[in-house]
Amino acid sequence: MSRPRDSVILTTSVNGLVPVLVLVAVVVTFRGHNAPGGGFAGGLIVAAAVILRYLADGPRAVDRLPVQPMTLVGAGLCLAVAVAVAPLFVGGQVLESYIWTLDVPAVGKVKVVSSAGFDLGVFLLVVGAVTGMLAAFVEADDAEAPDVVGSAILESGPADDRAPDGRVADGRLADGRSSADPTGGGPGSRR
Amino acid sequence: MTPWMALCIVVPLGGAAVSLALHGRLLAQRVIGVAAVATTVALALAVLVQVDHDGRISADLGGWPVPIGITLVADRLSALMLVIGTVMLFAVLVYALGQRAQDERSPWYVPVYLVLTAGVCQAFLAGDLFNLFVSFEVLLMSSYVLVTLEGNDRQIRAGITYVVINVIESTLLLLAVALVFAATGTLNLAELPRRLAELPAGVALGLNLLLLLAFGLKAAVFPLFSWLPDSYPAAPSPVTAVFAGLLTKVGVYAIIRTQTQLFPGELRTLLMVVAGLTMVVGVLGAIAQSDMKRILSFHIVSQIGYMVMGLAIGGVAAIAATIFFVLHQIPTKTSLFLVEGIVERETGTSSTTGGAAGMARRSGPLALLFLLPALSLAGIPPLSGFVGKVALVESGFARDAWVVTAVALGVSLLTLVSMVKIWSGVFWGDVPGRTAATDGTLGTDAAEGRDDRDGERPVAGVLRRHPLMSAVTGGVVALTLAIALLAGPVYRYCERAARQLAVPAGQVGGPAAGEARGENP
């Protein structure tokens, strides 16, 4: 599904931003052990990256996701629960954390903390949950006004960058709304 | 230290995780759901056994000591609530799966239900106020989904009321928790009584009122109840059943906890007034309704009044009576809603003004399954409601609380009236569209036993058409009968629980207990 109108500026900046965001998310997640941050914050940052992609590319950003959001949520929760329960099998307590210090050649001492797995679980869960919500909205929008979904959000921004084909899209949006959804719910109401 | 308590929360959460990962495979989801909740029931029983032996058990999650870590605490009250709560959650889950409805086909039902289970368990095991708040959030979040699972107009409308009122409740609770922490420097339920006693009376009173307001909203006491009869009936029947049986009782549990341990006997008069009004307004609301689900929803409110009344009367005897009453109320209320679910499935309506009439004729056993908990709710001997009410009334007389006790007795009568209304509107009379000519013996009320065989002939086996639903309903009704039958031992347990509440805790983690082990969490 192709969107009628792409903003070059947005697409270009998102292309640059997304890798940075993912990197920042990884850093935030792992520094969360001793400093502000953690899986939740990191997950939100990745989710923000996905939302940016969606703003730039429209619904195909969501269609292109390699993993189903709900699978992520399930996997994240599974991982968190597994890390929580694992200490029981080695005689510890639920949620107990173990710290190993490894000597990695050329890097030096690396501290490995078992509770980082918990953070990773939270990370996956948050990414999955937020993208899941996004996907649900996209689905709902698709059902109401196919094709022009992405632009409906964008159009709340500056309205003067409309290319001629943007007008076509607008006309179609207006038509679709008047015939299918006269009450003006869905994308129209956002403007 | 045994891990049973932590596992009570982790197992349903793990089940939710696996069933989410199995998104779309309904059968596997259901198997996991039932297995997880069944395991939780077993764990809850283990906690109960251990608690009744040791008195009170606590566990620091992850080995972090009290001021840093999260503590789970179970005393006799929480263990009892945990067991009855998980048993109800199990029963209702099986019932819901036996129901060929939309919610059972939703890929969300099982995972969300398991999260709800985890939230309920955590609420009963929370050792500090903040953890209690978090568990309220967990169970509320999942309840939002369950209320609006079918996503039709009616549910969305009711869901908005429900969500808004609960968000307000959560905000108030969070505010109260923050203020308690600001004033005392701790949120640990074992530590708080000592610190609260040092506060100026006015500050303590303010905190107390704020907590009571938040929990009262959740428990739906007068005048904070009007959201309940508005939102619960819109949910699917098995969801309403577990909400009615459990969620308001989590609020009641929190009120019991705060009013006995944190602020013992401080708001007695206020609670007395609230109790009386809750009972009366709830039951009058119930009488005015003409829909089985709505009548029962108003009764939730009315019965909450009895629990608050026991709390207001105070003293070990009254608290024990309250605990017993909560214990009786959870399965009784649940079973009534489960019966309602079968009626609705069978007739497509739960109205008491025709449509669903003549259920007793269609299925005598179903009528019996309604009649037993209904009479129990009204307090007819020898059912469990009678035991609970006698205990409450006795403690009321012993403490010279004449007015509220008289109100309680009067409300019992009105409860019976509204149950009769359901009985005559839904169970009695002729099946609409079918003349009474099919059998000569016009149903006399005393003859359910024989009536069912007469009534079953024309429309064969309502219960047989819904085997799983009926079996579960029967099981829950049997549980209420068992509570009545074993009233002696059960009541003695409640007394032990009440005595434990009367003694301030304070054992778990002394002041500034130890320093952090290792590094920051």
Side-chain angles (χ1 to χ4, degrees), chain B residues 229-260:
Chain B
D230 207 37
S231 53
Y232 277 17
S237 285
V239 172
T240 316
V242 76
F243 282 18
L246 265 185
L247 292 203
T248 47
K249 274 57 172 191
V250 180
V252 171
Y253 165 83
I255 294 181
I256 295 179
R257 185 75 47 219
T258 46
Q259 294 305 318
T260 56

Side-chain angles (χ1 to χ4, degrees), chain A residues 32-34 68 70-71 73-79 81 84-85 88 93-97 99 111 113, chain B residues 1 3 6-7 10 13-14 16-18 20-21 23 59-64 108 115 517 519-521:
Chain A
H33 186 67
N34 284 326
Q68 279 294 304
M70 281 315 118
T71 318
V73 173
L77 200 51
C78 278
L79 182 59
V81 168
V85 179
L88 281 181
Q93 289 173 36
V94 173
L95 280 175
E96 192 160 344
S97 182
I99 302 173
K111 222 166 60 174
V113 188
Chain B
M1 196 182 323
L7 284 180
V10 173
L13 266 188
V18 177
L20 261 184
H23 198 77
D60 299 335
L61 284 186
W64 298 101
W108 300 109
V115 174
R517 196 179 62 188
E519 56 199 303
N520 281 336

Side-chain angles (χ1 to χ4, degrees), chain B residues 56-304:
Chain B
R56 176 185 277 116
I57 56 175
S58 70
D60 299 335
L61 284 186
W64 298 101
V66 166
I68 293 169
I70 295 170
T71 316
L72 299 180
V73 182
D75 60 5
R76 292 202 171 93
L77 171 64
S78 32
L80 185 69
M81 299 296 288
L82 192 65
V83 168
I84 190 76
T86 48
V87 168
M88 282 308 110
L89 283 161
F90 177 72
V92 174
L93 178 62
V94 176
Y95 177 96
L97 298 184
Q99 189 180 39
R100 283 170 191 74
Q102 212 168 2
D103 51 304
E104 157 251 15
R105 251 178 255 130
S106 161
W108 300 109
Y109 187 76
V110 170
V112 172
Y113 194 87
L114 287 174
V115 174
L116 179 80
T117 308
V120 169
C121 290
Q122 196 192 345
F124 290 141
L125 293 172
D128 63 85
L129 275 183
F130 188 73
N131 203 7
L132 189 64
F133 164 76
V134 171
S135 49
F136 266 68
E137 281 300 293
V138 171
L139 66 89
L140 281 176
M141 288 290 169
S142 32
S143 74
Y144 297 158
V145 181
L146 289 176
V147 162
T148 52
L149 204 60
E150 286 163 21
N152 55 36
D153 290 354
R154 185 161 165 260
Q155 287 194 349
I156 300 288
R157 198 199 69 79
I160 289 174
T161 315
Y162 182 75
V163 170
V164 166
I165 203 77
N166 278 300
V167 167
I168 293 173
E169 182 259 343
S170 299
T171 315
L172 282 174
L173 183 54
L174 186 61
L175 191 67
V177 168
L179 289 176
V180 168
F181 187 75
T184 63
T186 182
L187 289 174
N188 191 306
L189 286 171
E191 182 76 12
L192 269 174
R194 202 178 322 146
R195 303 267 185 102
L196 284 170
E198 294 163 5
L199 289 181
V203 177
L205 182 66
L207 296 176
N208 190 0
L209 284 173
L210 199 53
L211 281 174
L212 186 64
L213 183 64
F215 292 140
L217 254 175
K218 184 74 234 148
V221 300
F222 180 87
L224 310 168
F225 67 92
S226 53
W227 59 272
L228 189 148
D230 207 37
S231 53
Y232 277 17
S237 285
V239 172
T240 316
V242 76
F243 282 18
L246 265 185
L247 292 203
T248 47
K249 274 57 172 191
V250 180
V252 171
Y253 165 83
I255 294 181
I256 295 179
R257 185 75 47 219
T258 46
Q259 294 305 318
T260 56
Q261 287 194 306
L262 300 192
F263 309 95
E266 273 177 29
L267 294 175
R268 209 157 271 174
T269 323
L270 175 70
L271 286 176
M272 204 84 91
V273 174
V274 164
L277 286 172
T278 308
M279 286 189 271
V280 172
V281 174
V283 83
L284 290 182
I287 290 179
Q289 299 303 315
S290 55
D291 179 280
M292 190 171 167
K293 237 175 167 177
R294 287 186 67 87
I295 294 179
L296 292 175
S297 293
F298 269 101
H299 269 297
I300 304 172
V301 177
S302 171
Q303 304 294 320
I304 298 284

Side-chain angles (χ1 to χ4, degrees), chain B residues 356-405:
Chain B
M359 276 316 285
R361 230 162 242 286
R362 296 200 205 179
S363 169
L366 183 67
L368 190 66
L369 286 182
F370 172 77
L371 193 64
L372 287 172
L375 291 180
S376 178
L377 199 71
I380 304 291
L383 300 161
S384 55
F386 171 72
V387 183
K389 281 184 178 168
V390 162
L392 278 174
V393 166
E394 253 182 14
S395 63
F397 284 152
R399 288 247 175 168
D400 292 333
W402 302 104
V403 178
V404 80
T405 314

Side-chain angles (χ1 to χ4, degrees), chain A residues 92-132:
Chain A
Q93 289 173 36
V94 173
L95 280 175
E96 192 160 344
S97 182
Y98 296 89
I99 302 173
W100 300 279
T101 312
L102 303 181
D103 261 323
V104 182
V107 179
K109 280 198 194 323
V110 174
K111 222 166 60 174
V112 180
V113 188
S114 69
S115 64
F118 189 85
D119 256 340
L120 209 59
V122 174
F123 175 89
L124 293 177
L125 200 158
V126 172
V127 174
V130 177
T131 27

